[in-house]
């Protein structure tokens, strides 16, 4: 089974140095073949934060795929937010806001769900549009039966009971319906700083919490997820910060059937 490490919401600027140090050790120990980072690399999209984040990425041994989050847009420098929102991201992190990767074992596509302005007064909420949905479907159309199809987005397509007030990504219902044809097997996201896995519409929704920041929800420590993938099964192991180390917490096994994915 191929190993993929999913981390999220690192929030350079609100980083816990000890947690970051142990994360680097854990990446070496678990030896994933790829790291996925689902947004909110910075806290306030400051140049200093992007430089710190770039240094972290440069030190990663496994190749990585990264998508931006709402915190990677400037909150207070409105001229920057509206006139050149992704200038620092593209200068320090990557020019590609929606990267893709394909191997014999999987196809991965990232989408940028953060927006400069939203319909809600809460601009932290994201959206997926029709163009992005079509691009995802077109990308997965050529996937072979041996390739797991992975979508990476910052904002949630499903939320557990008690957390719905955080708000789903705009366009979530339409996207899940459209994804019944040439859609992902699993969606990896972050944003809400809690970790969970759930099957919704035959698709696995897997969230990582904030992996390295002090912006924690009560009862949800720093965390990351380890995916082990085969063509017809995905094992998601969740790791929680225990005070001195990231300790294995639990795992969920998902099996592919003709009508979608089911938790074993």
């Amino acid at each position: 089974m191929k190993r993929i490490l999913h981390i999220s919401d690192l929030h350079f600027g609100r980083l816990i140095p000890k947690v970051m140090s142990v994360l680097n050790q854990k990446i070496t120990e678990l030896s994933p073949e790829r790291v996925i980072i689902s947004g909110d690399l910075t806290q306030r999209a400051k140049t200093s934060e992007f430089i710190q984040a770039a240094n972290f990425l440069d030190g990663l041994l496994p190749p990585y795929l990264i998508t931006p989050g709402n915190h990677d847009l400037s909150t207070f420098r409105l001229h920057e937010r509206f006139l050149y929102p992704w200038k620092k991201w593209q200068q320090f992190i990557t020019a590609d806001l929606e990267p893709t990767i394909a191997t014999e074992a999987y196809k991965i596509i990232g989408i940028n769900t953060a927006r400069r302005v939203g319909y809600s007064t809460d601009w932290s909420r994201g959206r997926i549009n029709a163009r992005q949905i079509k691009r995802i479907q077109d990308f997965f159309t050529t996937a072979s039966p041996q390739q797991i199809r992975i979508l990476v987005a910052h904002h949630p397509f499903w939320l557990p009971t008690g957390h719905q007030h955080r708000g789903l990504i705009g366009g979530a219902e339409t996207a899940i319906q459209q994804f019944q044809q040439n859609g992902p097997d699993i969606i990896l996201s972050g944003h809400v700083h809690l970790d969970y896995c759930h099957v919704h519409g035959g698709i696995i929704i897997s969230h990582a919490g904030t992996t390295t920041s002090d912006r924690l929800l009560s009862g949800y420590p720093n965390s990351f997820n380890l995916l082990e993938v085969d063509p017809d099964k995905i094992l998601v192991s969740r790791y929680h910060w225990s005070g001195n180390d990231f300790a294995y917490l639990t795992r969920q096994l998902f099996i592919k059937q003709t009508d979608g994915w089911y938790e074993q």
Side-chain angles (χ1 to χ4, degrees), residues 131-189:
R131 177 193 60 79
Q132 290 174 311
I133 293 172
K134 184 178 186 303
R135 181 167 181 261
I136 292 162
Q137 290 179 301
D138 289 346
F139 179 71
F140 288 138
T141 295
T142 58
S144 75
Q146 302 304 310
Q147 290 174 305
I148 291 291
R149 298 166 297 177
I150 302 173
L151 170 61
V152 184
H154 180 62
H155 294 86
F157 286 77
W158 180 88
L159 285 164
T161 301
H163 296 277
Q164 289 92 341
H165 65 282
R166 294 300 306 273
L168 295 178
I169 183 173
E173 183 177 349
T174 297
I176 294 297
Q177 290 175 352
Q178 294 293 319
F179 288 159
Q180 301 309 302
Q181 297 294 325
N182 296 325
D185 295 304
I186 184 169
I187 302 175
L188 305 183
S189 302

Side-chain angles (χ1 to χ4, degrees), residues 67-223:
T67 57
N70 54 283
H71 274 266
D72 301 313
L73 285 166
S74 179
T75 303
F76 301 111
R77 298 177 297 280
L78 295 184
H79 69 288
E80 178 181 320
R81 184 182 185 97
F82 289 108
L83 296 180
Y84 42 93
W86 301 112
K87 180 179 179 180
K88 290 178 182 176
W89 181 275
Q90 293 178 312
Q91 177 183 355
F92 293 106
I93 307 305
T94 175
D96 194 351
L97 295 172
E98 299 193 323
T100 61
I101 186 71
T103 73
E104 291 183 358
Y106 48 77
K107 295 192 77 172
I108 308 174
I109 182 169
I111 59 166
N112 180 15
T113 58
R115 299 293 187 263
R116 285 178 287 185
V117 64
Y119 301 120
S120 166
T121 55
D122 181 0
W123 288 359
S124 72
R125 297 189 179 186
R127 296 197 306 276
I128 182 171
N129 60 36
R131 177 193 60 79
Q132 290 174 311
I133 293 172
K134 184 178 186 303
R135 181 167 181 261
I136 292 162
Q137 290 179 301
D138 289 346
F139 179 71
F140 288 138
T141 295
T142 58
S144 75
Q146 302 304 310
Q147 290 174 305
I148 291 291
R149 298 166 297 177
I150 302 173
L151 170 61
V152 184
H154 180 62
H155 294 86
F157 286 77
W158 180 88
L159 285 164
T161 301
H163 296 277
Q164 289 92 341
H165 65 282
R166 294 300 306 273
L168 295 178
I169 183 173
E173 183 177 349
T174 297
I176 294 297
Q177 290 175 352
Q178 294 293 319
F179 288 159
Q180 301 309 302
Q181 297 294 325
N182 296 325
D185 295 304
I186 184 169
I187 302 175
L188 305 183
S189 302
H191 184 60
V192 290
H193 292 199
L194 56 105
D195 58 303
Y196 58 84
C197 293
H198 176 78
V199 176
H200 178 57
I203 300 168
I204 305 166
I205 309 292
S206 180
H207 272 242
T210 174
T211 303
T212 55
S213 86
D214 62 5
R215 301 183 68 246
L216 298 166
L217 296 182
S218 178
Y220 290 90
N222 298 107
S223 67

